[in-house]
Amino acid sequence: FFFEFYAIMSICELLGEQLLDHNSGTSPENLGNWSNFDSQLTSTESALSDAKAVGLYFSAKGDAKCAKFNAMLLTSHAVYLKNDHGIEIVFVSRDKTEEAFKEFYQPMRWKAVPYDGPRDTLASKFGVSSLPTVIMLRPDGSIITKDGYQTICKDPTGYGLLNGSHSKKTKKCP
Protein backbone atom coordinates (compact mmCIF):
# COMPACT_ATOMS: atom_id res chain seq x y z
CA PHE A 1 0.00 0.00 0.00
CA PHE A 2 2.78 2.45 0.87
CA PHE A 3 4.42 1.92 -2.55
CA GLU A 4 1.16 2.62 -4.37
CA PHE A 5 0.62 5.83 -2.38
CA TYR A 6 4.20 6.94 -3.03
CA ALA A 7 3.89 6.18 -6.75
CA ILE A 8 0.72 8.24 -7.11
CA MET A 9 2.32 11.10 -5.21
CA SER A 10 5.20 11.15 -7.70
CA ILE A 11 2.78 11.56 -10.60
CA CYS A 12 0.84 14.17 -8.61
CA GLU A 13 4.00 16.16 -7.98
CA LEU A 14 4.84 16.00 -11.67
CA LEU A 15 1.40 16.93 -13.04
CA GLY A 16 0.05 19.12 -10.26
CA GLU A 17 -2.77 18.54 -7.81
CA GLN A 18 -5.64 18.69 -10.31
CA LEU A 19 -6.39 17.56 -13.85
CA LEU A 20 -9.26 18.31 -16.18
CA ASP A 21 -11.48 15.29 -16.77
CA HIS A 22 -14.39 14.70 -19.14
CA ASN A 23 -17.40 12.99 -17.63
CA SER A 24 -18.56 11.04 -20.68
CA GLY A 25 -16.15 8.12 -20.48
CA THR A 26 -14.12 6.34 -23.12
CA SER A 27 -16.43 3.65 -24.42
CA PRO A 28 -16.17 3.07 -28.19
CA GLU A 29 -19.87 3.87 -28.69
CA ASN A 30 -19.26 7.39 -27.35
CA LEU A 31 -16.38 8.20 -29.71
CA GLY A 32 -18.48 10.23 -32.13
CA ASN A 33 -20.86 11.78 -29.58
CA TRP A 34 -19.56 15.18 -28.52
CA SER A 35 -22.89 16.54 -27.29
CA ASN A 36 -23.33 17.19 -23.57
CA PHE A 37 -19.57 17.27 -23.23
CA ASP A 38 -18.40 18.55 -19.86
CA SER A 39 -15.02 18.82 -18.17
CA GLN A 40 -14.23 19.46 -14.55
CA LEU A 41 -11.23 19.59 -12.27
CA THR A 42 -10.50 16.39 -10.40
CA SER A 43 -7.69 15.35 -8.10
CA THR A 44 -4.72 13.93 -9.98
CA GLU A 45 -4.34 11.26 -7.31
CA SER A 46 -7.87 9.90 -7.77
CA ALA A 47 -7.87 10.34 -11.56
CA LEU A 48 -4.74 8.21 -11.98
CA SER A 49 -5.00 5.86 -8.99
CA ASP A 50 -5.70 2.76 -11.11
CA ALA A 51 -3.27 3.55 -13.95
CA LYS A 52 -0.54 1.02 -14.72
CA ALA A 53 1.13 3.71 -16.85
CA VAL A 54 0.49 7.31 -17.85
CA GLY A 55 1.05 8.70 -21.33
CA LEU A 56 1.77 12.42 -21.42
CA TYR A 57 0.38 13.53 -24.78
CA PHE A 58 1.93 16.80 -25.98
CA SER A 59 -0.04 18.23 -28.89
CA ALA A 60 -1.61 21.40 -30.27
CA LYS A 61 -4.59 22.52 -32.33
CA GLY A 62 -3.84 23.60 -35.88
CA ASP A 63 -1.06 21.10 -36.51
CA ALA A 64 -2.11 18.58 -39.20
CA LYS A 65 0.15 15.84 -37.82
CA CYS A 66 -1.37 16.32 -34.34
CA ALA A 67 -4.93 16.22 -35.72
CA LYS A 68 -4.29 12.91 -37.53
CA PHE A 69 -2.61 11.35 -34.52
CA ASN A 70 -5.32 12.64 -32.18
CA ALA A 71 -7.95 10.70 -34.16
CA MET A 72 -5.84 7.54 -33.98
CA LEU A 73 -5.12 7.98 -30.27
CA LEU A 74 -8.80 8.56 -29.49
CA THR A 75 -9.68 5.13 -30.88
CA SER A 76 -6.57 3.41 -29.55
CA HIS A 77 -7.20 4.71 -26.02
CA ALA A 78 -10.89 3.78 -26.02
CA VAL A 79 -10.46 0.30 -27.48
CA TYR A 80 -7.05 -0.88 -26.24
CA LEU A 81 -4.88 1.34 -24.07
CA LYS A 82 -7.20 2.03 -21.15
CA ASN A 83 -9.18 -1.21 -21.11
CA ASP A 84 -6.50 -3.76 -22.07
CA HIS A 85 -3.41 -2.19 -20.52
CA GLY A 86 -4.60 0.24 -17.81
CA ILE A 87 -2.88 3.15 -19.57
CA GLU A 88 -4.21 6.62 -18.88
CA ILE A 89 -3.49 9.48 -21.27
CA VAL A 90 -2.98 13.02 -20.00
CA PHE A 91 -3.10 15.80 -22.58
CA VAL A 92 -0.44 18.48 -22.18
CA SER A 93 -1.41 21.32 -24.49
CA ARG A 94 1.21 23.24 -26.41
CA ASP A 95 -1.45 25.65 -27.70
CA LYS A 96 -0.71 29.38 -27.64
CA THR A 97 -4.18 30.37 -26.38
CA GLU A 98 -6.60 28.93 -23.85
CA GLU A 99 -9.37 29.06 -26.48
CA ALA A 100 -7.35 26.82 -28.83
CA PHE A 101 -6.64 24.47 -25.92
CA LYS A 102 -10.34 24.16 -25.03
CA GLU A 103 -11.37 23.60 -28.64
CA PHE A 104 -8.73 20.93 -29.25
CA TYR A 105 -9.36 19.20 -25.91
CA GLN A 106 -13.14 19.02 -26.31
CA PRO A 107 -13.34 15.70 -28.23
CA MET A 108 -10.66 14.02 -26.14
CA ARG A 109 -11.74 11.33 -23.69
CA TRP A 110 -8.82 11.53 -21.30
CA LYS A 111 -7.45 13.82 -18.64
CA ALA A 112 -5.60 17.09 -19.29
CA VAL A 113 -3.20 19.33 -17.45
CA PRO A 114 -5.15 22.61 -17.01
CA TYR A 115 -4.07 25.42 -19.33
CA ASP A 116 -2.71 27.35 -16.35
CA GLY A 117 -0.98 24.21 -15.04
CA PRO A 118 2.66 23.06 -15.41
CA ARG A 119 2.53 22.63 -19.21
CA ASP A 120 5.78 24.46 -19.99
CA THR A 121 7.60 22.82 -17.08
CA LEU A 122 6.59 19.36 -18.32
CA ALA A 123 7.63 20.11 -21.92
CA SER A 124 10.99 21.37 -20.68
CA LYS A 125 11.53 18.48 -18.24
CA PHE A 126 10.97 15.89 -20.97
CA GLY A 127 12.72 17.82 -23.75
CA VAL A 128 9.65 18.02 -26.00
CA SER A 129 10.80 19.62 -29.23
CA SER A 130 8.27 18.31 -31.76
CA LEU A 131 4.58 17.52 -31.83
CA PRO A 132 2.88 15.22 -31.28
CA THR A 133 4.92 13.57 -28.54
CA VAL A 134 3.84 10.86 -26.10
CA ILE A 135 6.01 10.22 -23.05
CA MET A 136 5.06 6.98 -21.27
CA LEU A 137 5.62 6.99 -17.50
CA ARG A 138 5.41 4.37 -14.79
CA PRO A 139 3.27 5.29 -11.76
CA ASP A 140 6.46 6.26 -9.90
CA GLY A 141 7.16 8.92 -12.55
CA SER A 142 10.05 7.08 -14.21
CA ILE A 143 10.14 7.01 -18.01
CA ILE A 144 9.11 3.90 -19.92
CA THR A 145 9.67 5.51 -23.32
CA LYS A 146 9.87 8.97 -24.86
CA ASP A 147 8.81 7.41 -28.16
CA GLY A 148 5.16 6.62 -27.37
CA TYR A 149 4.04 8.46 -30.49
CA GLN A 150 5.94 6.11 -32.83
CA THR A 151 4.98 3.05 -30.77
CA ILE A 152 1.26 3.86 -30.89
CA CYS A 153 1.42 4.71 -34.61
CA LYS A 154 3.06 1.40 -35.41
CA ASP A 155 0.81 -0.62 -33.11
CA PRO A 156 -2.38 1.11 -31.88
CA THR A 157 -3.08 -1.87 -29.58
CA GLY A 158 -0.30 -0.53 -27.36
CA TYR A 159 1.36 -3.89 -26.82
CA GLY A 160 4.86 -2.42 -26.54
CA LEU A 161 4.04 0.62 -24.42
CA LEU A 162 4.33 -0.88 -20.96
CA ASN A 163 7.66 -2.55 -21.52
CA GLY A 164 9.14 0.12 -23.80
CA SER A 165 9.54 -2.27 -26.73
CA HIS A 166 8.66 -1.23 -30.24
CA SER A 167 6.33 -3.13 -32.51
CA LYS A 168 7.72 -4.91 -35.54
CA LYS A 169 4.80 -3.58 -37.56
CA THR A 170 5.84 -1.07 -40.18
CA LYS A 171 2.83 1.22 -40.23
CA LYS A 172 3.93 4.79 -40.93
CA CYS A 173 3.03 7.54 -38.49
CA PRO A 174 0.83 10.36 -39.80
Side-chain angles (χ1 to χ4, degrees):
F1 176 76
F2 175 75
F3 174 74
E4 289 179 12
F5 179 75
Y6 174 77
I8 297 300
M9 291 307 295
S10 294
I11 291 289
C12 289
E13 289 172 6
L14 192 63
L15 300 178
E17 291 183 15
Q18 295 185 314
L19 295 172
L20 283 173
D21 189 9
H22 289 315
N23 300 347
S24 20
T26 57
S27 64
E29 57 273 7
N30 287 336
L31 286 177
N33 181 9
W34 312 134
S35 62
N36 300 321
F37 209 73
D38 188 21
S39 64
Q40 60 188 0
L41 286 172
T42 187
S43 108
T44 302
E45 183 177 352
S46 65
L48 302 178
S49 63
D50 294 330
K52 293 181 184 172
V54 176
L56 299 183
Y57 171 40
F58 295 86
S59 189
K61 181 183 184 296
D63 182 292
K65 191 172 163 183
C66 289
K68 287 179 186 175
F69 181 70
N70 197 58
M72 175 190 289
L73 185 59
L74 191 63
T75 300
S76 178
H77 180 256
V79 177
Y80 304 109
L81 301 180
K82 184 171 180 151
N83 297 327
D84 291 355
H85 304 297
I87 296 171
E88 286 290 351
I89 300 295
V90 176
F91 174 53
V92 184
S93 173
R94 300 308 297 144
D95 289 300
K96 303 286 186 217
T97 67
E98 188 169 7
E99 292 76 28
F101 161 71
K102 287 178 181 177
E103 190 174 321
F104 195 55
Y105 179 55
Q106 184 176 359
M108 297 178 188
R109 294 293 196 246
W110 43 74
K111 283 68 172 166
V113 172
Y115 190 78
D116 61 354
R119 301 173 314 111
D120 294 335
T121 302
L122 290 167
S124 178
K125 176 177 178 58
F126 294 108
V128 174
S129 60
S130 64
L131 299 177
T133 294
V134 178
I135 309 289
M136 294 302 302
L137 302 173
R138 292 177 185 88
D140 67 2
S142 63
I143 297 171
I144 297 170
T145 183
K146 287 186 169 188
D147 202 15
Y149 166 66
Q150 291 290 331
T151 304
I152 293 168
C153 283
K154 292 176 181 175
D155 183 6
T157 66
Y159 175 76
L161 287 174
L162 290 179
N163 62 15
S165 69
H166 297 282
S167 169
K168 293 184 170 124
K169 295 183 180 183
T170 57
K171 184 175 181 180
K172 187 173 174 158
C173 290

